[in-house]
Every structure is written in C-alpha cells, then in structure tokens.
Short mmCIF file of all heavy atoms in Angstrom, two decimals:
data_model
loop_
_atom_site.label_atom_id
_atom_site.label_comp_id
_atom_site.label_asym_id
_atom_site.label_seq_id
_atom_site.Cartn_x
_atom_site.Cartn_y
_atom_site.Cartn_z
N MET A 1 0.84 -1.21 0.00
CA MET A 1 0.00 0.00 0.00
C MET A 1 0.87 1.25 0.00
O MET A 1 1.94 1.28 0.57
CB MET A 1 -0.87 0.03 1.27
CG MET A 1 -2.08 -0.88 1.23
SD MET A 1 -3.33 -0.36 0.08
CE MET A 1 -4.26 0.80 1.09
N ALA A 2 0.39 2.28 -0.65
CA ALA A 2 1.08 3.57 -0.65
C ALA A 2 0.04 4.68 -0.60
O ALA A 2 -1.08 4.52 -1.12
CB ALA A 2 1.95 3.70 -1.88
N TRP A 3 0.40 5.74 0.05
CA TRP A 3 -0.53 6.87 0.21
C TRP A 3 0.17 8.17 -0.16
O TRP A 3 1.33 8.38 0.19
CB TRP A 3 -1.03 6.97 1.65
CG TRP A 3 -1.75 5.76 2.12
CD1 TRP A 3 -3.10 5.51 2.04
CD2 TRP A 3 -1.19 4.61 2.75
NE1 TRP A 3 -3.39 4.28 2.58
CE2 TRP A 3 -2.24 3.70 3.03
CE3 TRP A 3 0.12 4.23 3.10
CZ2 TRP A 3 -2.03 2.47 3.64
CZ3 TRP A 3 0.33 3.00 3.71
CH2 TRP A 3 -0.74 2.14 3.98
N LYS A 4 -0.57 9.01 -0.83
CA LYS A 4 -0.08 10.34 -1.16
C LYS A 4 -0.54 11.29 -0.07
O LYS A 4 -1.70 11.24 0.34
CB LYS A 4 -0.70 10.77 -2.49
CG LYS A 4 0.33 11.18 -3.53
CD LYS A 4 -0.35 11.52 -4.82
CE LYS A 4 -0.69 13.00 -4.83
NZ LYS A 4 -1.20 13.44 -6.13
N VAL A 5 0.36 12.12 0.41
CA VAL A 5 -0.04 13.08 1.45
C VAL A 5 0.25 14.49 0.96
O VAL A 5 1.29 14.77 0.38
CB VAL A 5 0.68 12.78 2.80
CG1 VAL A 5 2.18 12.79 2.67
CG2 VAL A 5 0.24 13.76 3.87
N TRP A 6 -0.72 15.37 1.17
CA TRP A 6 -0.51 16.78 0.81
C TRP A 6 -1.28 17.69 1.77
O TRP A 6 -2.24 17.25 2.40
CB TRP A 6 -0.86 17.05 -0.65
CG TRP A 6 -2.29 16.79 -1.04
CD1 TRP A 6 -2.84 15.56 -1.29
CD2 TRP A 6 -3.33 17.76 -1.22
NE1 TRP A 6 -4.16 15.71 -1.62
CE2 TRP A 6 -4.49 17.04 -1.60
CE3 TRP A 6 -3.39 19.15 -1.12
CZ2 TRP A 6 -5.71 17.68 -1.86
CZ3 TRP A 6 -4.61 19.78 -1.38
CH2 TRP A 6 -5.74 19.05 -1.75
N VAL A 7 -0.78 18.89 1.88
CA VAL A 7 -1.40 19.89 2.76
C VAL A 7 -1.93 21.02 1.89
O VAL A 7 -1.21 21.53 1.03
CB VAL A 7 -0.38 20.44 3.77
CG1 VAL A 7 -0.96 21.61 4.57
CG2 VAL A 7 0.09 19.35 4.72
N ASP A 8 -3.16 21.39 2.09
CA ASP A 8 -3.73 22.53 1.37
C ASP A 8 -3.22 23.81 2.03
O ASP A 8 -3.69 24.22 3.09
CB ASP A 8 -5.26 22.46 1.41
CG ASP A 8 -5.89 23.49 0.48
OD1 ASP A 8 -5.21 24.49 0.17
OD2 ASP A 8 -7.04 23.28 0.06
N GLN A 9 -2.21 24.39 1.41
CA GLN A 9 -1.54 25.56 2.00
C GLN A 9 -2.49 26.75 2.14
O GLN A 9 -2.28 27.62 2.99
CB GLN A 9 -0.35 25.99 1.13
CG GLN A 9 0.63 24.88 0.85
CD GLN A 9 1.37 24.41 2.08
OE1 GLN A 9 1.38 25.09 3.08
NE2 GLN A 9 1.97 23.25 2.00
N ASP A 10 -3.51 26.82 1.33
CA ASP A 10 -4.45 27.95 1.40
C ASP A 10 -5.30 27.87 2.67
O ASP A 10 -5.83 28.87 3.13
CB ASP A 10 -5.39 27.95 0.18
CG ASP A 10 -4.63 28.27 -1.09
OD1 ASP A 10 -3.54 28.86 -0.99
OD2 ASP A 10 -5.13 27.91 -2.17
N VAL A 11 -5.43 26.66 3.21
CA VAL A 11 -6.32 26.45 4.37
C VAL A 11 -5.51 26.35 5.67
O VAL A 11 -5.98 26.75 6.73
CB VAL A 11 -7.18 25.18 4.14
CG1 VAL A 11 -8.10 24.94 5.32
CG2 VAL A 11 -7.99 25.31 2.85
N CYS A 12 -4.29 25.84 5.60
CA CYS A 12 -3.44 25.65 6.79
C CYS A 12 -3.28 26.97 7.56
O CYS A 12 -2.99 28.01 6.97
CB CYS A 12 -2.07 25.13 6.36
SG CYS A 12 -0.87 25.00 7.70
N ILE A 13 -3.50 26.89 8.88
CA ILE A 13 -3.36 28.09 9.72
C ILE A 13 -2.12 28.01 10.60
O ILE A 13 -1.94 28.80 11.52
CB ILE A 13 -4.62 28.32 10.60
CG1 ILE A 13 -4.94 27.07 11.43
CG2 ILE A 13 -5.82 28.73 9.74
CD1 ILE A 13 -5.95 27.29 12.55
N GLY A 14 -1.27 27.00 10.36
CA GLY A 14 -0.02 26.90 11.10
C GLY A 14 -0.17 26.41 12.53
O GLY A 14 0.64 26.74 13.39
N ASP A 15 -1.17 25.61 12.78
CA ASP A 15 -1.42 25.09 14.12
C ASP A 15 -0.25 24.25 14.64
O ASP A 15 0.04 24.24 15.83
CB ASP A 15 -2.70 24.26 14.11
CG ASP A 15 -3.07 23.76 15.49
OD1 ASP A 15 -3.68 24.53 16.24
OD2 ASP A 15 -2.70 22.62 15.83
N ALA A 16 0.39 23.54 13.74
CA ALA A 16 1.62 22.76 14.01
C ALA A 16 1.42 21.47 14.80
O ALA A 16 2.39 20.80 15.12
CB ALA A 16 2.70 23.62 14.66
N ILE A 17 0.18 21.12 15.11
CA ILE A 17 -0.02 19.84 15.80
C ILE A 17 0.41 18.68 14.90
O ILE A 17 0.87 17.64 15.39
CB ILE A 17 -1.51 19.67 16.26
CG1 ILE A 17 -1.69 18.44 17.15
CG2 ILE A 17 -2.46 19.60 15.10
CD1 ILE A 17 -1.29 18.65 18.58
N CYS A 18 0.31 18.86 13.62
CA CYS A 18 0.72 17.81 12.67
C CYS A 18 2.21 17.49 12.83
O CYS A 18 2.60 16.33 12.89
CB CYS A 18 0.41 18.21 11.24
SG CYS A 18 1.13 19.79 10.76
N ALA A 19 3.03 18.55 12.90
CA ALA A 19 4.47 18.35 13.02
C ALA A 19 4.84 17.79 14.40
O ALA A 19 5.83 17.08 14.53
CB ALA A 19 5.20 19.66 12.76
N SER A 20 4.04 18.12 15.43
CA SER A 20 4.29 17.55 16.76
C SER A 20 3.95 16.08 16.80
O SER A 20 4.70 15.26 17.33
CB SER A 20 3.45 18.23 17.84
OG SER A 20 3.59 19.59 17.79
N LEU A 21 2.82 15.72 16.21
CA LEU A 21 2.37 14.33 16.26
C LEU A 21 3.16 13.45 15.30
O LEU A 21 3.37 12.27 15.57
CB LEU A 21 0.88 14.25 15.87
CG LEU A 21 -0.14 14.67 16.91
CD1 LEU A 21 -1.53 14.64 16.30
CD2 LEU A 21 -0.08 13.78 18.14
N CYS A 22 3.58 14.00 14.20
CA CYS A 22 4.16 13.17 13.14
C CYS A 22 5.31 13.91 12.45
O CYS A 22 5.22 14.24 11.27
CB CYS A 22 3.04 12.83 12.16
SG CYS A 22 3.46 11.49 11.07
N PRO A 23 6.40 14.12 13.19
CA PRO A 23 7.52 14.90 12.63
C PRO A 23 8.25 14.21 11.48
O PRO A 23 9.00 14.85 10.76
CB PRO A 23 8.46 15.08 13.84
CG PRO A 23 8.09 14.01 14.80
CD PRO A 23 6.64 13.70 14.57
N ASP A 24 8.01 12.91 11.31
CA ASP A 24 8.65 12.21 10.19
C ASP A 24 7.94 12.48 8.87
O ASP A 24 8.45 12.14 7.80
CB ASP A 24 8.69 10.70 10.44
CG ASP A 24 9.66 10.35 11.57
OD1 ASP A 24 10.62 11.13 11.77
OD2 ASP A 24 9.45 9.33 12.24
N VAL A 25 6.77 13.06 8.95
CA VAL A 25 6.02 13.35 7.72
C VAL A 25 5.83 14.85 7.49
O VAL A 25 5.90 15.32 6.37
CB VAL A 25 4.63 12.64 7.73
CG1 VAL A 25 3.82 13.01 6.49
CG2 VAL A 25 4.81 11.13 7.81
N PHE A 26 5.60 15.59 8.61
CA PHE A 26 5.30 17.02 8.44
C PHE A 26 6.36 17.88 9.11
O PHE A 26 6.81 17.58 10.21
CB PHE A 26 3.94 17.34 9.08
CG PHE A 26 2.82 16.51 8.54
CD1 PHE A 26 2.37 15.40 9.23
CD2 PHE A 26 2.21 16.84 7.35
CE1 PHE A 26 1.33 14.62 8.73
CE2 PHE A 26 1.17 16.07 6.84
CZ PHE A 26 0.73 14.96 7.54
N GLU A 27 6.72 18.97 8.43
CA GLU A 27 7.57 19.95 9.09
C GLU A 27 7.02 21.34 8.78
O GLU A 27 6.38 21.57 7.76
CB GLU A 27 9.03 19.83 8.65
CG GLU A 27 9.32 20.30 7.26
CD GLU A 27 10.79 20.16 6.88
OE1 GLU A 27 11.60 19.68 7.69
OE2 GLU A 27 11.12 20.55 5.75
N MET A 28 7.27 22.24 9.74
CA MET A 28 6.79 23.61 9.56
C MET A 28 7.78 24.38 8.69
O MET A 28 8.98 24.33 8.89
CB MET A 28 6.64 24.29 10.92
CG MET A 28 5.64 23.61 11.85
SD MET A 28 4.01 23.37 11.09
CE MET A 28 3.46 25.07 10.93
N GLY A 29 7.25 25.09 7.72
CA GLY A 29 8.09 25.87 6.84
C GLY A 29 8.28 27.29 7.36
O GLY A 29 7.64 27.70 8.33
N ASP A 30 9.17 28.02 6.70
CA ASP A 30 9.40 29.41 7.07
C ASP A 30 8.15 30.26 6.87
O ASP A 30 8.03 31.35 7.44
CB ASP A 30 10.54 30.00 6.22
CG ASP A 30 11.88 29.37 6.58
OD1 ASP A 30 12.00 28.82 7.69
OD2 ASP A 30 12.80 29.43 5.74
N ASP A 31 7.24 29.77 6.06
CA ASP A 31 5.99 30.49 5.83
C ASP A 31 4.96 30.22 6.93
O ASP A 31 3.83 30.69 6.88
CB ASP A 31 5.40 30.11 4.46
CG ASP A 31 5.16 28.60 4.35
OD1 ASP A 31 5.44 27.85 5.30
OD2 ASP A 31 4.67 28.17 3.28
N GLY A 32 5.36 29.43 7.96
CA GLY A 32 4.47 29.15 9.07
C GLY A 32 3.42 28.11 8.76
O GLY A 32 2.47 27.92 9.52
N LYS A 33 3.60 27.42 7.64
CA LYS A 33 2.64 26.38 7.26
C LYS A 33 3.31 25.02 7.23
O LYS A 33 4.54 24.93 7.17
CB LYS A 33 2.06 26.71 5.88
CG LYS A 33 1.41 28.09 5.91
CD LYS A 33 0.50 28.34 4.76
CE LYS A 33 -0.14 29.71 4.95
NZ LYS A 33 -1.49 29.77 4.48
N SER A 34 2.49 24.00 7.26
CA SER A 34 3.01 22.64 7.27
C SER A 34 3.38 22.19 5.87
O SER A 34 2.64 22.42 4.92
CB SER A 34 1.94 21.72 7.84
OG SER A 34 2.27 20.38 7.61
N HIS A 35 4.54 21.53 5.78
CA HIS A 35 4.97 20.98 4.49
C HIS A 35 5.34 19.52 4.68
O HIS A 35 6.19 19.21 5.52
CB HIS A 35 6.19 21.74 3.96
CG HIS A 35 5.86 23.17 3.64
ND1 HIS A 35 5.48 23.57 2.39
CD2 HIS A 35 5.82 24.27 4.43
CE1 HIS A 35 5.24 24.88 2.42
NE2 HIS A 35 5.43 25.32 3.63
N PRO A 36 4.72 18.62 3.96
CA PRO A 36 5.10 17.22 4.08
C PRO A 36 6.55 17.03 3.62
O PRO A 36 6.97 17.60 2.63
CB PRO A 36 4.14 16.50 3.13
CG PRO A 36 3.00 17.44 2.93
CD PRO A 36 3.58 18.81 3.05
N ILE A 37 7.27 16.24 4.39
CA ILE A 37 8.66 15.91 4.04
C ILE A 37 8.65 14.81 2.99
O ILE A 37 9.53 14.74 2.15
CB ILE A 37 9.43 15.43 5.30
CG1 ILE A 37 9.39 16.50 6.38
CG2 ILE A 37 10.86 15.06 4.94
CD1 ILE A 37 9.69 15.95 7.76
N VAL A 38 7.66 13.96 3.08
CA VAL A 38 7.55 12.87 2.11
C VAL A 38 6.27 13.07 1.29
O VAL A 38 5.27 13.55 1.80
CB VAL A 38 7.50 11.48 2.79
CG1 VAL A 38 8.84 11.14 3.40
CG2 VAL A 38 6.40 11.41 3.84
N GLU A 39 6.35 12.71 0.03
CA GLU A 39 5.19 12.88 -0.83
C GLU A 39 4.34 11.61 -0.85
O GLU A 39 3.12 11.66 -0.87
CB GLU A 39 5.66 13.20 -2.24
CG GLU A 39 4.79 14.23 -2.95
CD GLU A 39 5.42 14.66 -4.24
OE1 GLU A 39 6.44 15.38 -4.19
OE2 GLU A 39 4.90 14.26 -5.30
N VAL A 40 5.05 10.49 -0.85
CA VAL A 40 4.35 9.21 -0.87
C VAL A 40 4.77 8.40 0.35
O VAL A 40 5.97 8.23 0.60
CB VAL A 40 4.63 8.43 -2.17
CG1 VAL A 40 3.97 7.06 -2.13
CG2 VAL A 40 4.15 9.22 -3.38
N ILE A 41 3.79 7.94 1.11
CA ILE A 41 4.05 7.14 2.31
C ILE A 41 3.88 5.66 1.95
O ILE A 41 2.85 5.28 1.39
CB ILE A 41 3.07 7.51 3.43
CG1 ILE A 41 3.26 8.97 3.84
CG2 ILE A 41 3.22 6.58 4.62
CD1 ILE A 41 2.22 9.46 4.82
N GLU A 42 4.89 4.87 2.28
CA GLU A 42 4.76 3.45 1.99
C GLU A 42 4.82 2.62 3.26
O GLU A 42 4.62 1.42 3.23
CB GLU A 42 5.87 3.02 1.01
CG GLU A 42 5.55 3.51 -0.39
CD GLU A 42 6.68 3.28 -1.37
OE1 GLU A 42 7.82 3.09 -0.93
OE2 GLU A 42 6.40 3.30 -2.58
N ASP A 43 5.07 3.29 4.37
CA ASP A 43 5.22 2.60 5.65
C ASP A 43 3.93 2.78 6.46
O ASP A 43 3.42 3.90 6.60
CB ASP A 43 6.41 3.24 6.37
CG ASP A 43 6.63 2.66 7.74
OD1 ASP A 43 5.89 3.02 8.68
OD2 ASP A 43 7.55 1.84 7.88
N GLU A 44 3.41 1.68 6.97
CA GLU A 44 2.12 1.73 7.66
C GLU A 44 2.16 2.56 8.94
O GLU A 44 1.20 3.23 9.28
CB GLU A 44 1.63 0.32 7.95
CG GLU A 44 0.13 0.30 8.13
CD GLU A 44 -0.49 -1.05 7.76
OE1 GLU A 44 -0.02 -1.66 6.78
OE2 GLU A 44 -1.40 -1.46 8.45
N ASN A 45 3.30 2.51 9.66
CA ASN A 45 3.42 3.32 10.88
C ASN A 45 3.39 4.80 10.55
O ASN A 45 2.77 5.59 11.26
CB ASN A 45 4.72 2.98 11.62
CG ASN A 45 4.67 1.60 12.23
OD1 ASN A 45 3.60 1.13 12.62
ND2 ASN A 45 5.81 0.94 12.29
N LEU A 46 4.06 5.16 9.47
CA LEU A 46 4.04 6.56 9.04
C LEU A 46 2.64 6.95 8.62
O LEU A 46 2.16 8.06 8.90
CB LEU A 46 5.01 6.79 7.87
CG LEU A 46 6.46 7.06 8.19
CD1 LEU A 46 7.17 7.55 6.94
CD2 LEU A 46 6.62 8.05 9.32
N TYR A 47 1.97 6.04 7.93
CA TYR A 47 0.59 6.31 7.51
C TYR A 47 -0.29 6.56 8.73
O TYR A 47 -1.08 7.50 8.76
CB TYR A 47 0.04 5.15 6.69
CG TYR A 47 -1.45 5.25 6.49
CD1 TYR A 47 -1.99 6.15 5.58
CD2 TYR A 47 -2.33 4.46 7.24
CE1 TYR A 47 -3.36 6.27 5.41
CE2 TYR A 47 -3.70 4.58 7.08
CZ TYR A 47 -4.21 5.48 6.17
OH TYR A 47 -5.57 5.60 6.03
N ASN A 48 -0.12 5.73 9.76
CA ASN A 48 -0.95 5.86 10.95
C ASN A 48 -0.73 7.20 11.64
O ASN A 48 -1.68 7.85 12.07
CB ASN A 48 -0.69 4.71 11.92
CG ASN A 48 -1.28 3.41 11.42
OD1 ASN A 48 -2.22 3.42 10.63
ND2 ASN A 48 -0.73 2.29 11.85
N CYS A 49 0.53 7.63 11.75
CA CYS A 49 0.77 8.91 12.42
C CYS A 49 0.31 10.07 11.55
O CYS A 49 -0.23 11.05 12.05
CB CYS A 49 2.20 9.05 12.94
SG CYS A 49 3.41 9.64 11.78
N ALA A 50 0.45 9.93 10.23
CA ALA A 50 -0.04 10.99 9.33
C ALA A 50 -1.56 11.10 9.43
O ALA A 50 -2.13 12.19 9.44
CB ALA A 50 0.38 10.70 7.90
N GLN A 51 -2.20 9.96 9.55
CA GLN A 51 -3.66 9.92 9.67
C GLN A 51 -4.10 10.58 10.98
O GLN A 51 -5.06 11.34 11.02
CB GLN A 51 -4.10 8.45 9.62
CG GLN A 51 -5.59 8.25 9.49
CD GLN A 51 -6.13 8.77 8.18
OE1 GLN A 51 -5.56 8.56 7.13
NE2 GLN A 51 -7.24 9.49 8.23
N GLU A 52 -3.35 10.28 12.03
CA GLU A 52 -3.63 10.88 13.34
C GLU A 52 -3.50 12.41 13.25
O GLU A 52 -4.32 13.16 13.78
CB GLU A 52 -2.61 10.34 14.34
CG GLU A 52 -3.11 10.24 15.76
CD GLU A 52 -2.00 9.74 16.68
OE1 GLU A 52 -1.40 8.69 16.36
OE2 GLU A 52 -1.73 10.41 17.67
N ALA A 53 -2.45 12.85 12.56
CA ALA A 53 -2.23 14.29 12.38
C ALA A 53 -3.38 14.90 11.58
O ALA A 53 -3.87 15.99 11.92
CB ALA A 53 -0.90 14.53 11.68
N ALA A 54 -3.81 14.20 10.54
CA ALA A 54 -4.90 14.71 9.71
C ALA A 54 -6.17 14.88 10.53
O ALA A 54 -6.90 15.86 10.38
CB ALA A 54 -5.13 13.77 8.53
N GLU A 55 -6.40 13.93 11.44
CA GLU A 55 -7.60 14.01 12.26
C GLU A 55 -7.48 15.11 13.32
O GLU A 55 -8.46 15.72 13.72
CB GLU A 55 -7.87 12.65 12.93
CG GLU A 55 -8.54 11.69 11.97
CD GLU A 55 -8.45 10.23 12.41
OE1 GLU A 55 -8.26 9.98 13.62
OE2 GLU A 55 -8.56 9.35 11.54
N ALA A 56 -6.25 15.37 13.76
CA ALA A 56 -6.03 16.38 14.80
C ALA A 56 -6.00 17.80 14.23
O ALA A 56 -6.23 18.76 14.96
CB ALA A 56 -4.73 16.10 15.53
N CYS A 57 -5.73 17.94 12.96
CA CYS A 57 -5.62 19.28 12.36
C CYS A 57 -6.96 20.01 12.51
O CYS A 57 -8.00 19.51 12.08
CB CYS A 57 -5.24 19.15 10.88
SG CYS A 57 -5.28 20.75 10.04
N PRO A 58 -6.94 21.21 13.11
CA PRO A 58 -8.19 21.91 13.38
C PRO A 58 -8.93 22.38 12.13
O PRO A 58 -10.13 22.65 12.20
CB PRO A 58 -7.76 23.11 14.23
CG PRO A 58 -6.31 23.30 13.93
CD PRO A 58 -5.77 21.93 13.61
N VAL A 59 -8.23 22.48 11.01
CA VAL A 59 -8.91 22.96 9.81
C VAL A 59 -8.97 21.88 8.70
O VAL A 59 -9.31 22.17 7.56
CB VAL A 59 -8.26 24.25 9.26
CG1 VAL A 59 -8.49 25.41 10.22
CG2 VAL A 59 -6.77 24.07 9.01
N SER A 60 -8.62 20.66 9.08
CA SER A 60 -8.73 19.51 8.17
C SER A 60 -8.10 19.77 6.79
O SER A 60 -8.72 19.46 5.76
CB SER A 60 -10.20 19.12 7.97
OG SER A 60 -10.79 18.86 9.22
N CYS A 61 -6.91 20.31 6.79
CA CYS A 61 -6.29 20.62 5.49
C CYS A 61 -5.24 19.60 5.09
O CYS A 61 -4.55 19.78 4.09
CB CYS A 61 -5.71 22.03 5.49
SG CYS A 61 -4.34 22.24 6.61
N ILE A 62 -5.10 18.52 5.88
CA ILE A 62 -4.17 17.45 5.51
C ILE A 62 -4.96 16.39 4.74
O ILE A 62 -5.97 15.89 5.23
CB ILE A 62 -3.52 16.83 6.76
CG1 ILE A 62 -2.69 17.88 7.49
CG2 ILE A 62 -2.66 15.62 6.38
CD1 ILE A 62 -2.18 17.42 8.83
N HIS A 63 -4.49 16.09 3.56
CA HIS A 63 -5.19 15.14 2.71
C HIS A 63 -4.32 13.92 2.45
O HIS A 63 -3.15 14.05 2.10
CB HIS A 63 -5.59 15.80 1.40
CG HIS A 63 -6.47 16.99 1.61
ND1 HIS A 63 -7.84 16.87 1.77
CD2 HIS A 63 -6.18 18.30 1.76
CE1 HIS A 63 -8.35 18.08 1.98
NE2 HIS A 63 -7.37 18.97 1.98
N ILE A 64 -4.90 12.76 2.68
CA ILE A 64 -4.18 11.51 2.47
C ILE A 64 -5.01 10.64 1.54
O ILE A 64 -6.18 10.38 1.81
CB ILE A 64 -3.93 10.79 3.81
CG1 ILE A 64 -3.12 11.68 4.75
CG2 ILE A 64 -3.21 9.46 3.58
CD1 ILE A 64 -3.04 11.19 6.18
N GLU A 65 -4.40 10.27 0.44
CA GLU A 65 -5.13 9.50 -0.56
C GLU A 65 -4.33 8.26 -0.93
O GLU A 65 -3.11 8.30 -0.90
CB GLU A 65 -5.32 10.34 -1.84
CG GLU A 65 -6.14 11.58 -1.63
CD GLU A 65 -5.84 12.66 -2.68
OE1 GLU A 65 -5.03 12.41 -3.60
OE2 GLU A 65 -6.41 13.75 -2.58
N GLU A 66 -5.03 7.21 -1.29
CA GLU A 66 -4.32 6.03 -1.76
C GLU A 66 -3.60 6.38 -3.05
O GLU A 66 -4.18 7.00 -3.93
CB GLU A 66 -5.30 4.89 -2.00
CG GLU A 66 -5.61 4.14 -0.71
CD GLU A 66 -6.51 2.93 -0.92
OE1 GLU A 66 -6.42 2.30 -1.99
OE2 GLU A 66 -7.30 2.65 -0.01
N ALA A 67 -2.34 6.00 -3.11
CA ALA A 67 -1.55 6.33 -4.31
C ALA A 67 -1.58 5.17 -5.29
O ALA A 67 -1.83 4.04 -4.92
CB ALA A 67 -0.12 6.65 -3.93
FE1 F3S B 101 -1.52 23.39 9.29
FE2 F3S B 101 -3.18 21.72 10.31
FE3 F3S B 101 -0.66 21.32 10.59
S1 F3S B 101 -3.39 23.89 10.33
S2 F3S B 101 0.26 23.33 10.57
S3 F3S B 101 -1.75 21.28 8.70
S4 F3S B 101 -2.18 20.93 12.10
#
C-alpha cells in the first residue's frame, strides 16, 4: 500500500499539531505552514501517524489518498 499526502496551503493556519504528532512526515516551513517531508508514504506506521495528524488538524487541510 502507498498513500499520497498533501497539505492545502491555502487552508493551513499553522497550528503545528501535525508536526508535533508526526515529525517524520510534516515539518513547519518558514511560511508558518506545514509541508510534508515525504510525498508518498509506503510505511504503515508513518501512515498511521499521518492519519492521526490529519484528524487532529483543526482545519482539516491534511489530505491523504491512496496512491
Ligand atoms: Fe496546518 Fe493543520 Fe498542521 S493547520 S500546521 S496542517 S495541524
């Protein structure tokens, strides 16, 4: 299984809970928004933490799709 992860930069408010919960996938950029470090996730543990981050994001701007 593989999943594509992306953040809608127009919606992200820089809450940063994503980077706290899942630093292997998300990092905060100089623009104060979240940027995925990886584009495609192939590891289930990474997928689980990315999913947790997506659910925790207050504006639901993290998108995870089957690749
Ligand atoms: Fe942005 Fe949501 Fe993370 S608002 S910084 S993607 S928790």
Side-chain angles (χ1 to χ4, degrees):
M1 282 291 274
W3 300 269
K4 235 177 90 172
V5 57
W6 61 282
V7 172
D8 189 337
Q9 306 293 344
D10 292 339
V11 180
C12 174
I13 54 167
D15 184 83
I17 188 80
C18 55
S20 307
L21 284 175
C22 196
D24 291 332
V25 177
F26 304 99
E27 73 180 1
M28 299 307 293
D30 291 339
D31 58 359
K33 303 197 176 215
S34 167
H35 295 267
I37 302 161
V38 290
E39 218 172 289
V40 176
I41 297 173
E42 286 173 340
D43 177 282
E44 203 152 322
N45 290 329
L46 275 192
Y47 168 76
N48 287 336
C49 85
Q51 190 65 44
E52 210 182 308
E55 280 162 22
C57 173
V59 292
S60 304
C61 67
I62 297 171
H63 301 276
I64 301 169
E65 298 156 2
E66 277 184 33

